[in-house]
Amino acid sequence: MQDAALRLKNLAEQLIGAPLPVRIRAWDRSEAGPPGAPVLVVRDRRALRHLLWKPGELGLARAWVAGDLDVDGDLYRTLDLMAGFIWERGEDARSLRESLRDPKVRAAIRSLVALSAPFLPPAPPPEETRRRGRLHLHTKRSDRRAISHHYDVGNDFYELVLGPSMVYSCAYWESPGSTLEDAQRGKLDLVCRKLGLRPGMRLLDVGCGWGSMAVHAAREHGVTVVGVTLSQEQAAYARKRIAEEGLTDRIEIRVQDYRDVRDGPYDAISSIGMAEHVGAERYLEYAQDLYALLKPGGRLLNHQIARRPQADESAYAVDEFIDAYVFPDGELAPVGSTVTLLERAGFEVRDLESLREHYALTLRGWVANLEAHWAQGQRLTSPGRARVWRLYMAASALAFERNRIGVNQVLAVKTPQDGAAGLPLRTRDWRDR
């Protein structure tokens, strides 16, 4: 009788219709697959049941988060090798229904069922979001719940991953040899320069996180800041940090939805890594709300992850793993759609800068921080949550490197009727501002 690893390899190749690019190590310690390749470790038969009851990416994610599936070797290389038949099969991939018409596929599935015995549905890991429906309505209540799922997992855990800067967005690397802290400081200052911040101005920081942008803008550029977040843990951390910096007279942190901010006008608005939570149905409303909060001539810096456009945009679906474990209700849009909606709200878009490669470097820095303190990271949150963060950050780094997703800073102005936008002729020379 074949050992478990060889059986799994043969069955996997039957199902995907291609040679398996990784080795498999099964629960019986047997191994099979190409020599020298990274090893996919199937620690327990339960991993097969996760896949059989939820075929595809979500089943793999459940097995990974539960610890039934692991990688021995370079996680980035493993994900890169597996991307071709997990994430990139695209429109040519056969649907499950079409696959089941193939007698060989049906036979392979029956063999997997036998190998996974007992054939009972395993419970999803506790880290998975429990959803009553699949609609992304983005009500204030659902947005609060989604933000809490992602950000209220422990400030100590985020300190370990993000480092002292506590900036949870793409850094700006002056050179590949820069430190993560230098690159995050460089990003914050780039945003401030693009916004043309000067002493006495009033800044609204939408989705202020742990207060890093607010502190930098107030301390280095002399502005007063209102920061809003839906995360109680972020707000508590930011307020303590602001008090320690002696900036309580210049910075106010609120637990507040951006839709409830009514004390404009502001001279400038920063929205860094927040707009991904807004949703397609609400995006025009988001842009209109920010436009109304700005003074004439005021600037918005919108820093947002973007996906590649699809031939049929109506077919876009949120990534199952990300939706269930990372960013519930998060949605990505092509950068062209974002620019169009900002313009429809009344903004004049004056500059767009892609930082795609910068985010790949940033994510690799965060993964390195987590891996260097792996045992501590698991203690600070949970083993499953730590595995979620390691997988999603590593996979995201590859997605940015391979141009599957990007990130862009869009500078938009509430240009007055006389057309005087208040920008220099050479807008990219931000150091002159």
Side-chain angles (χ1 to χ4, degrees):
M1 184 176 180
Q2 292 177 323
D3 55 37
L6 184 57
R7 292 175 67 189
L8 285 173
K9 171 186 172 295
N10 292 338
L11 291 171
E13 290 178 344
Q14 279 184 269
L15 290 169
I16 66 176
L20 197 65
V22 297
R23 286 182 67 78
I24 289 181
R25 182 184 304 147
W27 55 88
D28 63 355
R29 299 185 181 180
S30 62
E31 285 195 24
V39 180
L40 192 64
V41 183
V42 185
R43 297 192 185 281
D44 193 283
R45 295 173 189 259
R46 187 170 48 240
L48 307 183
R49 297 198 289 275
H50 278 298
L51 278 166
L52 287 164
W53 283 95
K54 196 66 178 179
E57 184 178 336
L58 187 56
L60 282 169
R62 287 176 173 176
W64 171 270
V65 177
D68 299 325
L69 198 64
D70 207 344
V71 168
D72 184 0
D74 189 327
L75 179 59
Y76 293 105
R77 186 180 172 212
T78 305
L79 292 173
D80 216 13
L81 289 169
M82 295 179 67
F85 60 88
I86 297 177
W87 295 286
E88 297 176 358
R89 293 176 73 87
E91 296 179 358
D92 293 331
R94 295 176 299 177
S95 69
L96 179 60
R97 182 178 299 175
E98 291 171 335
S99 297
L100 290 174
R101 294 173 183 168
D102 186 336
K104 292 181 179 179
V105 171
R106 291 201 303 271
I109 291 174
R110 285 195 297 269
S111 297
L112 274 177
V113 171
L115 196 57
S116 70
F119 188 57
L120 297 172
E127 291 79 10
E128 184 170 318
T129 304
R130 302 294 189 265
R131 299 177 62 87
R132 294 189 179 96
R134 303 309 300 174
L135 293 177
H136 298 267
L137 299 177
H138 291 280
T139 64
K140 293 177 183 179
R141 181 179 179 182
S142 68
D143 282 353
R144 282 196 303 273
R145 187 166 55 245
I147 292 300
S148 179
H149 173 88
H150 187 80
Y151 295 100
D152 292 340
V153 300
N155 291 330
D156 290 342
F157 176 74
Y158 274 108
E159 280 187 327
L160 183 149
V161 174
L162 304 180
S165 72
M166 287 298 280
V167 180
Y168 194 23
S169 55
C170 173
Y172 187 71
W173 300 78
E174 296 289 347
S175 69
S178 299
T179 67
L180 179 60
E181 292 306 303
D182 287 342
Q184 290 293 13
R185 190 162 44 248
K187 187 273 298 297
L188 295 176
D189 208 56
L190 178 66
V191 171
C192 291
R193 294 198 305 270
K194 287 182 176 181
L195 289 172
L197 297 184
R198 297 185 298 277
M201 282 186 166
R202 191 165 180 245
L203 169 70
L204 173 64
D205 187 26
V206 180
C208 65
W210 294 271
S212 301
M213 174 64 187
V215 167
H216 185 89
R219 186 182 60 209
E220 304 298 330
H221 296 268
V223 300
T224 59
V225 187
V226 171
V228 296
T229 176
L230 295 179
S231 166
Q232 295 283 352
E233 289 195 21
Q234 285 185 334
Y237 186 100
R239 288 166 183 156
K240 181 176 183 292
R241 183 180 184 183
I242 289 161
E244 291 171 351
E245 291 274 354
L247 293 169
T248 53
D249 60 330
R250 306 234 298 271
I251 304 173
E252 178 189 0
I253 301 296
R254 305 172 184 166
V255 178
Q256 186 178 36
D257 193 289
Y258 73 92
R259 290 165 282 195
D260 294 328
V261 177
R262 296 287 183 266
D263 60 345
Y266 289 86
D267 296 286
I269 298 175
S270 54
S271 178
I272 306 172
M274 175 271 176
E276 298 88 342
H277 299 288
V278 171
E281 294 298 320
R282 301 281 185 179
Y283 203 91
L284 181 58
E285 175 189 351
Y286 159 82
Q288 290 170 334
D289 284 348
L290 299 192
Y291 184 85
L293 286 167
L294 277 173
K295 292 179 179 178
R299 303 181 193 177
L300 164 69
L301 192 287
N302 192 78
H303 177 120
Q304 182 178 343
I305 298 172
R307 61 176 172 82
R308 302 292 297 172
Q310 296 183 353
D312 178 9
E313 278 294 315
S314 66
Y316 168 67
V318 176
D319 181 279
E320 283 190 304
F321 166 60
I322 296 295
D323 193 44
Y325 287 99
V326 186
F327 293 107
D329 284 349
E331 295 180 56
L332 301 183
V335 66
S337 300
T338 296
V339 168
T340 295
L341 290 170
L342 289 172
E343 289 183 329
R344 282 182 59 192
F347 282 106
E348 179 189 8
V349 172
R350 293 300 303 259
D351 186 78
L352 190 155
E353 183 174 6
S354 171
L355 302 180
R356 178 172 64 80
E357 293 87 352
H358 294 256
Y359 217 158
L361 289 169
T362 306
L363 285 154
R364 282 182 176 265
W366 292 341
V367 172
N369 285 344
L370 179 56
E371 290 180 340
H373 304 91
W374 182 245
Q376 183 183 0
Q378 293 182 88
R379 288 195 303 272
L380 290 174
T381 177
S382 71
R385 184 76 64 193
R387 291 174 67 81
V388 168
W389 256 240
R390 182 177 177 232
L391 177 62
Y392 111 76
M393 292 191 301
S396 296
L398 288 171
F400 282 105
E401 289 169 357
R402 303 298 183 261
N403 193 27
R404 293 196 290 272
I405 54 176
V407 62
N408 305 281
Q409 288 190 351
V410 179
L411 179 66
V413 181
K414 184 175 181 176
T415 304
Q417 289 186 348
D418 64 6
L423 287 165
L425 291 176
R426 294 180 61 199
T427 55
R428 280 298 173 88
D429 197 2
W430 303 114
R431 289 168 296 182
D432 291 344
R433 299 300 295 161

